[in-house]
Amino acid sequence: MTVSPQIHSIQIASQAGESMVQLTQANIVAGKGIEGDRYALGIGAFSKTKPKIRHISLIALSGIEHANQQLLAKQYAVFSESDARRNLVISGISANELNDLVGKIFYLGGLMFRGTELCAPCQRPANPLKRPDFMSAFDNRGGIRAEALESGCLIPGDLLHLTEPDRS
């Protein structure tokens, strides 16, 4: 049996540099992102300097696990899900499969999104933790950004589909 990709966890930060806070549900606003998140509010660290579609960010749980295995092998501290500073952690999908969603329409919990670009790892997540190893550990597994094309609610356990799910 194949495991379907699904939302493992949801997190936001209401201000640039604040710790991520885990949510039990996320209200998605089409054209903006997750209600209360810094990028939906237009006050994220890169909102002004690098204007792009940053409605929502996703990372594969397996990508975090592989990065942490690499770090442990070097006897470095690991990164938690929230340390990666992505809104949605997706289980049941590889980092490469998630990366392949760039340029494609996909559905989370029945809501439509478009993958817009890879989240290339940068030092931003590592700086507050004073750990320089984020960029190398998360190379090719930093996740993706996506455009919110529909409004609605997401919860952990909502499935990721490449085709429109049956809404009956």
Side-chain angles (χ1 to χ4, degrees):
M1 181 173 109
T2 305
V3 177
S4 296
Q6 62 183 289
I7 298 173
H8 176 75
S9 63
I10 303 169
Q11 44 232 334
I12 65 168
S14 59
Q15 298 282 325
E18 275 189 3
S19 295
M20 300 293 278
V21 175
Q22 192 158 337
L23 302 178
T24 56
Q25 74 174 37
N27 294 317
I28 305 299
V29 179
K32 290 196 179 261
I34 300 177
E35 201 172 85
D37 186 61
R38 64 212 183 276
Y39 285 103
L41 297 168
I43 55 174
F46 300 113
S47 291
K48 304 286 186 261
T49 58
K50 297 180 181 180
K52 297 179 181 182
I53 295 174
R54 297 177 186 277
H55 298 170
I56 195 164
S57 58
L58 301 87
I59 192 166
L61 178 60
S62 64
I64 296 171
E65 291 168 345
H66 287 129
N68 283 337
Q69 288 170 359
Q70 181 181 324
L71 292 167
L72 285 171
K74 295 178 181 177
Q75 298 184 341
Y76 292 148
V78 299
F79 285 89
S80 71
E81 293 172 23
S82 63
D83 291 340
R85 302 195 62 78
R86 304 297 186 251
N87 298 125
L88 302 180
V89 177
I90 307 294
S91 63
I93 193 169
S94 72
N96 287 336
E97 290 168 326
L98 185 66
N99 290 351
D100 288 345
L101 295 179
V102 171
K104 295 181 180 153
I105 299 289
F106 61 92
Y107 297 84
L108 282 166
L111 300 180
M112 187 183 337
F113 294 85
R114 178 186 359 261
T116 57
E117 68 177 337
L118 296 177
C119 287
C122 66
Q123 276 306 113
R124 187 104 183 125
N127 286 342
L129 303 170
K130 297 182 178 20
R131 296 193 21 229
D133 42 7
F134 185 83
M135 288 177 63
S136 62
F138 283 87
D139 188 35
N140 292 318
R141 42 184 169 237
I144 67 169
R145 290 186 188 87
E147 178 180 13
L149 300 174
E150 294 181 316
S151 297
C153 184
L154 294 177
I155 60 171
D158 280 345
L159 297 178
L160 183 149
H161 298 275
L162 290 179
T163 58
E164 187 170 5
D166 183 9
R167 296 184 188 211
S168 53

